[in-house]
Amino acid sequence: MANGAQAMLRTLLNAGVEVCFTNPGTSEMHFVAALDTAPEMRAVLTLFEGVATGAADGYARMAGKPASTLLHLGCGLGNGLANLHNARKGKVPVVNIVGDHATYHTKYDAQLQSDIETAARNVSSWVRTSQSTQALCKDVVEAVTAAKGPPGQVATLILPADVSWGEGAEALPASPIAQPPLADDVVIERIAGVLKSRGKTAILLGGRALREPGLLAAARIAAQCGVKLYAEVFPTRFERGAGLPHAERIAYLAEMASVQLAGLENLILVDAKAPVSFFAYPGKKSYLVPEGCTVHELNSPAQDAVGSLQRLCQAIGAAQTAPVLQEAQRPGRPRGKLTAEKVCKAVGHLLPDNAIVVDEAQTSGTMLPMFTAGAPRHDVLALTGGAIGQGLPAAVGAAVACPDRPVLALVGDGSSMYTIQSLWTMAREKLNVVSVIFNNRSYGILNIELERVGAERAGPKAKSQLDLNGPGLDFVQLAQGMGVPATRAHTAEEFTAALERAFATPGPHLIEAVVPSVFSGLKLRVLPYLLRSLENLPQPVARALKRKVAP
Ligand SMILES: Cc1ncc(C[n+]2csc(CCOP(=O)(O)OP(=O)(O)O)c2C)c(N)n1
């Protein structure tokens, strides 16, 4: 027999939840005290709830199982919502434990009293306030089961303080996870028929299909049927690099995505949604599937995407077909004044084997896919839900999940400031994370969005809302103040040397890359970047795009 918190921790461990990213308060003190009764549970303190939730997201993407968070009532959960939103969009399992007032205290409407369930529902498919110490462990088992899915989801268990401190709880074993079913045979047969037809067809891979087994099955199909492979625009976890099949990511800019998809007659979705524009723009399309193109969904989110893809591969007789694999190739060492492009080039030049790349570089990362396509095999974690402030926390989580792998976080200066406290956790936990902050002193992307939404005649007051100059952010001092060794690079030579040193030295490092904004200057200067960022773009398509964007 144990108190609620002790039994809860044991039940979490029984279900394979071994890490808790915490930011506790008084209502969570019994949970905190119980941590010493559960030595196998790694408790990682974060200094802001958005770090805890983003770290839980990054952890689960790499560990393939959920971590838990420990958050302080509705306000703590609220601070963590943006990164829980990213996890939800990426179908990433997370188990939130949110402390609450004791059940008999709520009627007094004390200062921190709030409607936690309402806050939780926005991001969680499963929400419950545990009603008694006796029922708590059953609730924990259900929460973890719901989080694991498939699909992975956010589950939020609200833990009243008296349920936590009450005696008489008993830990429970995990409930078995059911094997997800394959897609229906009729669906597989129908899509096999589409692949055998002569129509112009592409396969759009997302979610779990972007890991090696899914990529290999898709590449066999592609080689057999001559279809093109695309990856969703912001993948949860994308395994890529030399020796793996290549899939071209759908572009963020709808104008470019439309060019990629132009002329398609069939689009086969594997663990992915049909592409839509990130935002609506006056006079532009939201739904990016071209007219006349039929969309075929291989699997539902609850079905086994990879198994279904492998079955499809067999159905078209491609199981023995050789997939086309990416050749090893790296760009040379960049030279001269530092630019975002040269940072990406240096990353391609130096990326260590088996790295985890967290990409929240925004505009500065436009050239990253091209320069790293033939780098040693690596994983890319992207901003699945578009809520910025995810990169540094996700790097924390990925490094906790994979202590033997190098983690590289590429983050815009604006994005980094949402959750800059992540650096402190990296230092405290001695995580092998190299954080590169692109200091272009602006919310660069919003400058181009200002034009895209048609608000071109913006005045100085409007433009100042997108400008981070004055006071200039000093990321070296910020990092050093949180215990992370840091350096600033103005030239490609300085940056490359710093990156080399950082990868070679264990523990966290930060490099502030001082770069001009990719989108500063005229629209026409932007175009080459946009066009070259589309890997393997066929020349006629590139010409068509050029005409369209800059007639
Ligand atoms: C939670 C949240 N708040 C605000 C935004 C709007 N937003 C999108 S990009 C961006 C600026 C990104 O700036 P930075 O990271 O410096 O990259 P850059 O655009 O300069 O490449 C902002 C504020 C968002 N997407 N999510």
Side-chain angles (χ1 to χ4, degrees), residues 497-532:
L499 189 61
E500 221 160 13
R501 269 197 312 275
F503 280 139
T505 320
H509 300 273
L510 181 139
I511 308 171
E512 177 181 333
V514 180
V515 294
S517 181
V518 170
F519 292 124
S520 61
L522 295 167
K523 223 182 196 174
L524 280 178
R525 269 196 55 207
V526 172
L527 272 176
Y529 276 98
L530 299 186
L531 293 176
R532 278 153 61 200

PDB file of all heavy atoms in Angstrom, residues 497-532:
ATOM      1  N   ALA A 497      34.111  26.322 -37.928  1.00  0.00           N
ATOM      2  CA  ALA A 497      35.050  25.904 -36.873  1.00  0.00           C
ATOM      3  C   ALA A 497      34.295  25.705 -35.554  1.00  0.00           C
ATOM      4  O   ALA A 497      34.530  24.727 -34.826  1.00  0.00           O
ATOM      5  CB  ALA A 497      36.147  26.943 -36.716  1.00  0.00           C
ATOM      6  N   ALA A 498      33.365  26.616 -35.262  1.00  0.00           N
ATOM      7  CA  ALA A 498      32.605  26.495 -34.004  1.00  0.00           C
ATOM      8  C   ALA A 498      31.732  25.246 -34.015  1.00  0.00           C
ATOM      9  O   ALA A 498      31.605  24.549 -33.001  1.00  0.00           O
ATOM     10  CB  ALA A 498      31.739  27.747 -33.812  1.00  0.00           C
ATOM     11  N   LEU A 499      31.150  24.951 -35.157  1.00  0.00           N
ATOM     12  CA  LEU A 499      30.277  23.765 -35.251  1.00  0.00           C
ATOM     13  C   LEU A 499      31.100  22.488 -35.074  1.00  0.00           C
ATOM     14  O   LEU A 499      30.689  21.555 -34.374  1.00  0.00           O
ATOM     15  CB  LEU A 499      29.543  23.774 -36.603  1.00  0.00           C
ATOM     16  CG  LEU A 499      28.442  22.748 -36.786  1.00  0.00           C
ATOM     17  CD1 LEU A 499      27.323  22.940 -35.755  1.00  0.00           C
ATOM     18  CD2 LEU A 499      27.840  22.823 -38.197  1.00  0.00           C
ATOM     19  N   GLU A 500      32.257  22.491 -35.692  1.00  0.00           N
ATOM     20  CA  GLU A 500      33.155  21.331 -35.579  1.00  0.00           C
ATOM     21  C   GLU A 500      33.527  21.094 -34.104  1.00  0.00           C
ATOM     22  O   GLU A 500      33.453  19.971 -33.609  1.00  0.00           O
ATOM     23  CB  GLU A 500      34.427  21.634 -36.383  1.00  0.00           C
ATOM     24  CG  GLU A 500      34.945  20.471 -37.171  1.00  0.00           C
ATOM     25  CD  GLU A 500      35.868  20.940 -38.303  1.00  0.00           C
ATOM     26  OE1 GLU A 500      36.295  22.125 -38.325  1.00  0.00           O
ATOM     27  OE2 GLU A 500      36.144  20.100 -39.178  1.00  0.00           O
ATOM     28  N   ARG A 501      33.899  22.172 -33.433  1.00  0.00           N
ATOM     29  CA  ARG A 501      34.273  22.080 -32.010  1.00  0.00           C
ATOM     30  C   ARG A 501      33.090  21.605 -31.171  1.00  0.00           C
ATOM     31  O   ARG A 501      33.219  20.747 -30.311  1.00  0.00           O
ATOM     32  CB  ARG A 501      34.692  23.459 -31.483  1.00  0.00           C
ATOM     33  CG  ARG A 501      36.161  23.777 -31.588  1.00  0.00           C
ATOM     34  CD  ARG A 501      36.551  24.954 -30.679  1.00  0.00           C
ATOM     35  NE  ARG A 501      35.680  26.109 -30.766  1.00  0.00           N
ATOM     36  CZ  ARG A 501      35.787  27.079 -31.662  1.00  0.00           C
ATOM     37  NH1 ARG A 501      36.744  27.018 -32.580  1.00  0.00           N
ATOM     38  NH2 ARG A 501      34.949  28.104 -31.687  1.00  0.00           N
ATOM     39  N   ALA A 502      31.924  22.169 -31.454  1.00  0.00           N
ATOM     40  CA  ALA A 502      30.749  21.844 -30.647  1.00  0.00           C
ATOM     41  C   ALA A 502      30.388  20.362 -30.787  1.00  0.00           C
ATOM     42  O   ALA A 502      30.078  19.695 -29.795  1.00  0.00           O
ATOM     43  CB  ALA A 502      29.572  22.723 -31.059  1.00  0.00           C
ATOM     44  N   PHE A 503      30.437  19.845 -32.017  1.00  0.00           N
ATOM     45  CA  PHE A 503      30.116  18.428 -32.206  1.00  0.00           C
ATOM     46  C   PHE A 503      31.146  17.532 -31.514  1.00  0.00           C
ATOM     47  O   PHE A 503      30.835  16.418 -31.094  1.00  0.00           O
ATOM     48  CB  PHE A 503      30.059  18.072 -33.697  1.00  0.00           C
ATOM     49  CG  PHE A 503      28.762  18.472 -34.376  1.00  0.00           C
ATOM     50  CD1 PHE A 503      28.769  19.028 -35.650  1.00  0.00           C
ATOM     51  CD2 PHE A 503      27.529  18.269 -33.749  1.00  0.00           C
ATOM     52  CE1 PHE A 503      27.577  19.372 -36.291  1.00  0.00           C
ATOM     53  CE2 PHE A 503      26.342  18.618 -34.380  1.00  0.00           C
ATOM     54  CZ  PHE A 503      26.363  19.178 -35.652  1.00  0.00           C
ATOM     55  N   ALA A 504      32.389  18.028 -31.421  1.00  0.00           N
ATOM     56  CA  ALA A 504      33.457  17.185 -30.865  1.00  0.00           C
ATOM     57  C   ALA A 504      33.499  17.217 -29.344  1.00  0.00           C
ATOM     58  O   ALA A 504      34.197  16.414 -28.723  1.00  0.00           O
ATOM     59  CB  ALA A 504      34.808  17.645 -31.435  1.00  0.00           C
ATOM     60  N   THR A 505      32.785  18.155 -28.724  1.00  0.00           N
ATOM     61  CA  THR A 505      32.876  18.324 -27.267  1.00  0.00           C
ATOM     62  C   THR A 505      31.540  17.968 -26.635  1.00  0.00           C
ATOM     63  O   THR A 505      30.517  18.575 -26.981  1.00  0.00           O
ATOM     64  CB  THR A 505      33.221  19.797 -26.929  1.00  0.00           C
ATOM     65  OG1 THR A 505      34.192  20.263 -27.865  1.00  0.00           O
ATOM     66  CG2 THR A 505      33.753  19.940 -25.532  1.00  0.00           C
ATOM     67  N   PRO A 506      31.524  17.005 -25.708  1.00  0.00           N
ATOM     68  CA  PRO A 506      30.239  16.618 -25.097  1.00  0.00           C
ATOM     69  C   PRO A 506      29.580  17.770 -24.348  1.00  0.00           C
ATOM     70  O   PRO A 506      30.253  18.729 -23.968  1.00  0.00           O
ATOM     71  CB  PRO A 506      30.630  15.498 -24.120  1.00  0.00           C
ATOM     72  CG  PRO A 506      31.999  15.079 -24.492  1.00  0.00           C
ATOM     73  CD  PRO A 506      32.659  16.233 -25.191  1.00  0.00           C
ATOM     74  N   GLY A 507      28.290  17.648 -24.153  1.00  0.00           N
ATOM     75  CA  GLY A 507      27.532  18.668 -23.423  1.00  0.00           C
ATOM     76  C   GLY A 507      26.931  19.684 -24.384  1.00  0.00           C
ATOM     77  O   GLY A 507      27.165  19.634 -25.590  1.00  0.00           O
ATOM     78  N   PRO A 508      26.141  20.610 -23.845  1.00  0.00           N
ATOM     79  CA  PRO A 508      25.468  21.569 -24.709  1.00  0.00           C
ATOM     80  C   PRO A 508      26.380  22.707 -25.169  1.00  0.00           C
ATOM     81  O   PRO A 508      27.317  23.076 -24.464  1.00  0.00           O
ATOM     82  CB  PRO A 508      24.364  22.123 -23.800  1.00  0.00           C
ATOM     83  CG  PRO A 508      24.917  21.992 -22.423  1.00  0.00           C
ATOM     84  CD  PRO A 508      25.807  20.783 -22.420  1.00  0.00           C
ATOM     85  N   HIS A 509      26.094  23.227 -26.350  1.00  0.00           N
ATOM     86  CA  HIS A 509      26.812  24.381 -26.912  1.00  0.00           C
ATOM     87  C   HIS A 509      25.798  25.235 -27.648  1.00  0.00           C
ATOM     88  O   HIS A 509      24.818  24.709 -28.175  1.00  0.00           O
ATOM     89  CB  HIS A 509      27.874  23.926 -27.924  1.00  0.00           C
ATOM     90  CG  HIS A 509      28.880  23.036 -27.327  1.00  0.00           C
ATOM     91  ND1 HIS A 509      30.006  23.504 -26.707  1.00  0.00           N
ATOM     92  CD2 HIS A 509      28.903  21.682 -27.194  1.00  0.00           C
ATOM     93  CE1 HIS A 509      30.687  22.489 -26.235  1.00  0.00           C
ATOM     94  NE2 HIS A 509      30.039  21.365 -26.504  1.00  0.00           N
ATOM     95  N   LEU A 510      26.078  26.501 -27.724  1.00  0.00           N
ATOM     96  CA  LEU A 510      25.237  27.380 -28.535  1.00  0.00           C
ATOM     97  C   LEU A 510      26.123  28.183 -29.475  1.00  0.00           C
ATOM     98  O   LEU A 510      27.185  28.661 -29.074  1.00  0.00           O
ATOM     99  CB  LEU A 510      24.409  28.308 -27.649  1.00  0.00           C
ATOM    100  CG  LEU A 510      23.476  29.261 -28.417  1.00  0.00           C
ATOM    101  CD1 LEU A 510      22.110  29.370 -27.734  1.00  0.00           C
ATOM    102  CD2 LEU A 510      24.088  30.654 -28.585  1.00  0.00           C
ATOM    103  N   ILE A 511      25.685  28.282 -30.711  1.00  0.00           N
ATOM    104  CA  ILE A 511      26.375  29.147 -31.676  1.00  0.00           C
ATOM    105  C   ILE A 511      25.366  30.165 -32.186  1.00  0.00           C
ATOM    106  O   ILE A 511      24.310  29.789 -32.718  1.00  0.00           O
ATOM    107  CB  ILE A 511      26.940  28.343 -32.869  1.00  0.00           C
ATOM    108  CG1 ILE A 511      27.790  27.171 -32.390  1.00  0.00           C
ATOM    109  CG2 ILE A 511      27.759  29.263 -33.781  1.00  0.00           C
ATOM    110  CD1 ILE A 511      28.208  26.205 -33.494  1.00  0.00           C
ATOM    111  N   GLU A 512      25.692  31.418 -31.978  1.00  0.00           N
ATOM    112  CA  GLU A 512      24.853  32.475 -32.533  1.00  0.00           C
ATOM    113  C   GLU A 512      25.384  32.789 -33.928  1.00  0.00           C
ATOM    114  O   GLU A 512      26.518  33.244 -34.083  1.00  0.00           O
ATOM    115  CB  GLU A 512      24.904  33.725 -31.633  1.00  0.00           C
ATOM    116  CG  GLU A 512      24.111  34.873 -32.213  1.00  0.00           C
ATOM    117  CD  GLU A 512      24.159  36.136 -31.337  1.00  0.00           C
ATOM    118  OE1 GLU A 512      24.344  36.014 -30.110  1.00  0.00           O
ATOM    119  OE2 GLU A 512      24.002  37.228 -31.889  1.00  0.00           O
ATOM    120  N   ALA A 513      24.571  32.518 -34.929  1.00  0.00           N
ATOM    121  CA  ALA A 513      24.970  32.772 -36.314  1.00  0.00           C
ATOM    122  C   ALA A 513      24.368  34.108 -36.735  1.00  0.00           C
ATOM    123  O   ALA A 513      23.143  34.223 -36.855  1.00  0.00           O
ATOM    124  CB  ALA A 513      24.465  31.648 -37.222  1.00  0.00           C
ATOM    125  N   VAL A 514      25.209  35.098 -36.906  1.00  0.00           N
ATOM    126  CA  VAL A 514      24.726  36.430 -37.293  1.00  0.00           C
ATOM    127  C   VAL A 514      24.570  36.440 -38.809  1.00  0.00           C
ATOM    128  O   VAL A 514      25.545  36.321 -39.554  1.00  0.00           O
ATOM    129  CB  VAL A 514      25.712  37.522 -36.828  1.00  0.00           C
ATOM    130  CG1 VAL A 514      25.203  38.899 -37.231  1.00  0.00           C
ATOM    131  CG2 VAL A 514      25.915  37.441 -35.329  1.00  0.00           C
ATOM    132  N   VAL A 515      23.311  36.500 -39.248  1.00  0.00           N
ATOM    133  CA  VAL A 515      23.028  36.363 -40.690  1.00  0.00           C
ATOM    134  C   VAL A 515      22.048  37.447 -41.139  1.00  0.00           C
ATOM    135  O   VAL A 515      21.225  37.905 -40.344  1.00  0.00           O
ATOM    136  CB  VAL A 515      22.406  34.975 -41.008  1.00  0.00           C
ATOM    137  CG1 VAL A 515      23.385  33.858 -40.753  1.00  0.00           C
ATOM    138  CG2 VAL A 515      21.114  34.742 -40.228  1.00  0.00           C
ATOM    139  N   PRO A 516      22.123  37.828 -42.413  1.00  0.00           N
ATOM    140  CA  PRO A 516      21.079  38.726 -42.907  1.00  0.00           C
ATOM    141  C   PRO A 516      19.796  37.940 -43.099  1.00  0.00           C
ATOM    142  O   PRO A 516      19.818  36.724 -43.272  1.00  0.00           O
ATOM    143  CB  PRO A 516      21.620  39.190 -44.269  1.00  0.00           C
ATOM    144  CG  PRO A 516      22.659  38.193 -44.655  1.00  0.00           C
ATOM    145  CD  PRO A 516      23.134  37.498 -43.411  1.00  0.00           C
ATOM    146  N   SER A 517      18.674  38.627 -43.058  1.00  0.00           N
ATOM    147  CA  SER A 517      17.405  37.953 -43.278  1.00  0.00           C
ATOM    148  C   SER A 517      17.334  37.468 -44.718  1.00  0.00           C
ATOM    149  O   SER A 517      17.669  38.191 -45.646  1.00  0.00           O
ATOM    150  CB  SER A 517      16.267  38.932 -42.996  1.00  0.00           C
ATOM    151  OG  SER A 517      15.055  38.267 -43.184  1.00  0.00           O
ATOM    152  N   VAL A 518      16.923  36.222 -44.899  1.00  0.00           N
ATOM    153  CA  VAL A 518      16.820  35.649 -46.243  1.00  0.00           C
ATOM    154  C   VAL A 518      15.885  36.479 -47.101  1.00  0.00           C
ATOM    155  O   VAL A 518      16.078  36.646 -48.297  1.00  0.00           O
ATOM    156  CB  VAL A 518      16.309  34.191 -46.155  1.00  0.00           C
ATOM    157  CG1 VAL A 518      15.951  33.652 -47.523  1.00  0.00           C
ATOM    158  CG2 VAL A 518      17.349  33.314 -45.496  1.00  0.00           C
ATOM    159  N   PHE A 519      14.872  37.023 -46.493  1.00  0.00           N
ATOM    160  CA  PHE A 519      13.852  37.720 -47.258  1.00  0.00           C
ATOM    161  C   PHE A 519      14.028  39.234 -47.242  1.00  0.00           C
ATOM    162  O   PHE A 519      13.129  39.959 -47.606  1.00  0.00           O
ATOM    163  CB  PHE A 519      12.460  37.347 -46.756  1.00  0.00           C
ATOM    164  CG  PHE A 519      12.129  35.923 -47.068  1.00  0.00           C
ATOM    165  CD1 PHE A 519      11.773  35.040 -46.074  1.00  0.00           C
ATOM    166  CD2 PHE A 519      12.207  35.468 -48.367  1.00  0.00           C
ATOM    167  CE1 PHE A 519      11.486  33.725 -46.373  1.00  0.00           C
ATOM    168  CE2 PHE A 519      11.925  34.148 -48.673  1.00  0.00           C
ATOM    169  CZ  PHE A 519      11.562  33.270 -47.671  1.00  0.00           C
ATOM    170  N   SER A 520      15.211  39.693 -46.784  1.00  0.00           N
ATOM    171  CA  SER A 520      15.394  41.139 -46.844  1.00  0.00           C
ATOM    172  C   SER A 520      15.628  41.519 -48.299  1.00  0.00           C
ATOM    173  O   SER A 520      16.146  40.756 -49.087  1.00  0.00           O
ATOM    174  CB  SER A 520      16.568  41.568 -45.974  1.00  0.00           C
ATOM    175  OG  SER A 520      17.746  40.961 -46.426  1.00  0.00           O
ATOM    176  N   GLY A 521      15.244  42.686 -48.661  1.00  0.00           N
ATOM    177  CA  GLY A 521      15.447  43.121 -50.036  1.00  0.00           C
ATOM    178  C   GLY A 521      14.252  42.841 -50.902  1.00  0.00           C
ATOM    179  O   GLY A 521      13.150  42.608 -50.405  1.00  0.00           O
ATOM    180  N   LEU A 522      14.488  42.840 -52.188  1.00  0.00           N
ATOM    181  CA  LEU A 522      13.383  42.773 -53.134  1.00  0.00           C
ATOM    182  C   LEU A 522      12.838  41.364 -53.282  1.00  0.00           C
ATOM    183  O   LEU A 522      13.528  40.384 -53.050  1.00  0.00           O
ATOM    184  CB  LEU A 522      13.870  43.250 -54.511  1.00  0.00           C
ATOM    185  CG  LEU A 522      14.279  44.718 -54.573  1.00  0.00           C
ATOM    186  CD1 LEU A 522      15.023  44.971 -55.871  1.00  0.00           C
ATOM    187  CD2 LEU A 522      13.028  45.583 -54.508  1.00  0.00           C
ATOM    188  N   LYS A 523      11.590  41.291 -53.700  1.00  0.00           N
ATOM    189  CA  LYS A 523      10.948  40.020 -53.978  1.00  0.00           C
ATOM    190  C   LYS A 523      11.803  39.177 -54.930  1.00  0.00           C
ATOM    191  O   LYS A 523      11.961  37.982 -54.762  1.00  0.00           O
ATOM    192  CB  LYS A 523       9.618  40.311 -54.659  1.00  0.00           C
ATOM    193  CG  LYS A 523       8.462  39.480 -54.161  1.00  0.00           C
ATOM    194  CD  LYS A 523       7.258  39.861 -54.966  1.00  0.00           C
ATOM    195  CE  LYS A 523       5.988  39.410 -54.338  1.00  0.00           C
ATOM    196  NZ  LYS A 523       4.821  39.911 -55.044  1.00  0.00           N
ATOM    197  N   LEU A 524      12.386  39.864 -55.899  1.00  0.00           N
ATOM    198  CA  LEU A 524      13.140  39.135 -56.909  1.00  0.00           C
ATOM    199  C   LEU A 524      14.366  38.442 -56.313  1.00  0.00           C
ATOM    200  O   LEU A 524      14.776  37.388 -56.762  1.00  0.00           O
ATOM    201  CB  LEU A 524      13.582  40.080 -58.022  1.00  0.00           C
ATOM    202  CG  LEU A 524      12.486  40.389 -59.032  1.00  0.00           C
ATOM    203  CD1 LEU A 524      12.992  41.378 -60.064  1.00  0.00           C
ATOM    204  CD2 LEU A 524      12.013  39.122 -59.729  1.00  0.00           C
ATOM    205  N   ARG A 525      14.932  39.048 -55.278  1.00  0.00           N
ATOM    206  CA  ARG A 525      16.082  38.415 -54.631  1.00  0.00           C
ATOM    207  C   ARG A 525      15.661  37.142 -53.909  1.00  0.00           C
ATOM    208  O   ARG A 525      16.454  36.247 -53.681  1.00  0.00           O
ATOM    209  CB  ARG A 525      16.696  39.378 -53.623  1.00  0.00           C
ATOM    210  CG  ARG A 525      17.786  40.225 -54.207  1.00  0.00           C
ATOM    211  CD  ARG A 525      18.591  40.844 -53.098  1.00  0.00           C
ATOM    212  NE  ARG A 525      19.125  39.858 -52.173  1.00  0.00           N
ATOM    213  CZ  ARG A 525      19.405  40.115 -50.895  1.00  0.00           C
ATOM    214  NH1 ARG A 525      19.181  41.301 -50.403  1.00  0.00           N
ATOM    215  NH2 ARG A 525      19.898  39.176 -50.117  1.00  0.00           N
ATOM    216  N   VAL A 526      14.413  37.102 -53.503  1.00  0.00           N
ATOM    217  CA  VAL A 526      13.889  35.969 -52.752  1.00  0.00           C
ATOM    218  C   VAL A 526      13.754  34.745 -53.648  1.00  0.00           C
ATOM    219  O   VAL A 526      13.974  33.619 -53.236  1.00  0.00           O
ATOM    220  CB  VAL A 526      12.499  36.337 -52.187  1.00  0.00           C
ATOM    221  CG1 VAL A 526      11.848  35.130 -51.561  1.00  0.00           C
ATOM    222  CG2 VAL A 526      12.608  37.479 -51.213  1.00  0.00           C
ATOM    223  N   LEU A 527      13.412  35.031 -54.893  1.00  0.00           N
ATOM    224  CA  LEU A 527      13.025  33.932 -55.775  1.00  0.00           C
ATOM    225  C   LEU A 527      14.047  32.804 -55.926  1.00  0.00           C
ATOM    226  O   LEU A 527      13.687  31.637 -55.814  1.00  0.00           O
ATOM    227  CB  LEU A 527      12.684  34.490 -57.154  1.00  0.00           C
ATOM    228  CG  LEU A 527      11.237  34.911 -57.267  1.00  0.00           C
ATOM    229  CD1 LEU A 527      10.993  35.544 -58.608  1.00  0.00           C
ATOM    230  CD2 LEU A 527      10.341  33.700 -57.096  1.00  0.00           C
ATOM    231  N   PRO A 528      15.314  33.151 -56.152  1.00  0.00           N
ATOM    232  CA  PRO A 528      16.256  32.050 -56.318  1.00  0.00           C
ATOM    233  C   PRO A 528      16.265  31.123 -55.121  1.00  0.00           C
ATOM    234  O   PRO A 528      16.369  29.902 -55.257  1.00  0.00           O
ATOM    235  CB  PRO A 528      17.607  32.762 -56.461  1.00  0.00           C
ATOM    236  CG  PRO A 528      17.295  34.170 -56.776  1.00  0.00           C
ATOM    237  CD  PRO A 528      15.912  34.457 -56.301  1.00  0.00           C
ATOM    238  N   TYR A 529      16.120  31.712 -53.926  1.00  0.00           N
ATOM    239  CA  TYR A 529      16.087  30.882 -52.719  1.00  0.00           C
ATOM    240  C   TYR A 529      14.911  29.925 -52.780  1.00  0.00           C
ATOM    241  O   TYR A 529      15.027  28.737 -52.521  1.00  0.00           O
ATOM    242  CB  TYR A 529      15.927  31.760 -51.479  1.00  0.00           C
ATOM    243  CG  TYR A 529      17.217  32.321 -50.977  1.00  0.00           C
ATOM    244  CD1 TYR A 529      17.605  33.600 -51.305  1.00  0.00           C
ATOM    245  CD2 TYR A 529      18.033  31.566 -50.159  1.00  0.00           C
ATOM    246  CE1 TYR A 529      18.786  34.124 -50.845  1.00  0.00           C
ATOM    247  CE2 TYR A 529      19.212  32.079 -49.680  1.00  0.00           C
ATOM    248  CZ  TYR A 529      19.596  33.360 -50.022  1.00  0.00           C
ATOM    249  OH  TYR A 529      20.770  33.868 -49.548  1.00  0.00           O
ATOM    250  N   LEU A 530      13.763  30.488 -53.104  1.00  0.00           N
ATOM    251  CA  LEU A 530      12.554  29.670 -53.104  1.00  0.00           C
ATOM    252  C   LEU A 530      12.687  28.559 -54.131  1.00  0.00           C
ATOM    253  O   LEU A 530      12.352  27.410 -53.875  1.00  0.00           O
ATOM    254  CB  LEU A 530      11.335  30.536 -53.425  1.00  0.00           C
ATOM    255  CG  LEU A 530      11.050  31.670 -52.457  1.00  0.00           C
ATOM    256  CD1 LEU A 530       9.746  32.346 -52.803  1.00  0.00           C
ATOM    257  CD2 LEU A 530      10.969  31.127 -51.039  1.00  0.00           C
ATOM    258  N   LEU A 531      13.174  28.942 -55.289  1.00  0.00           N
ATOM    259  CA  LEU A 531      13.218  27.960 -56.363  1.00  0.00           C
ATOM    260  C   LEU A 531      14.232  26.871 -56.060  1.00  0.00           C
ATOM    261  O   LEU A 531      13.973  25.692 -56.235  1.00  0.00           O
ATOM    262  CB  LEU A 531      13.564  28.657 -57.679  1.00  0.00           C
ATOM    263  CG  LEU A 531      12.475  29.603 -58.160  1.00  0.00           C
ATOM    264  CD1 LEU A 531      12.902  30.344 -59.400  1.00  0.00           C
ATOM    265  CD2 LEU A 531      11.204  28.824 -58.445  1.00  0.00           C
ATOM    266  N   ARG A 532      15.398  27.273 -55.542  1.00  0.00           N
ATOM    267  CA  ARG A 532      16.420  26.263 -55.306  1.00  0.00           C
ATOM    268  C   ARG A 532      16.092  25.385 -54.114  1.00  0.00           C
ATOM    269  O   ARG A 532      16.633  24.292 -53.971  1.00  0.00           O
ATOM    270  CB  ARG A 532      17.773  26.941 -55.112  1.00  0.00           C
ATOM    271  CG  ARG A 532      18.408  27.274 -56.461  1.00  0.00           C
ATOM    272  CD  ARG A 532      19.334  28.440 -56.369  1.00  0.00           C
ATOM    273  NE  ARG A 532      20.426  28.159 -55.450  1.00  0.00           N
ATOM    274  CZ  ARG A 532      21.169  29.102 -54.881  1.00  0.00           C
ATOM    275  NH1 ARG A 532      20.929  30.362 -55.120  1.00  0.00           N
ATOM    276  NH2 ARG A 532      22.143  28.779 -54.072  1.00  0.00           N
TER     277      ARG A 532
END
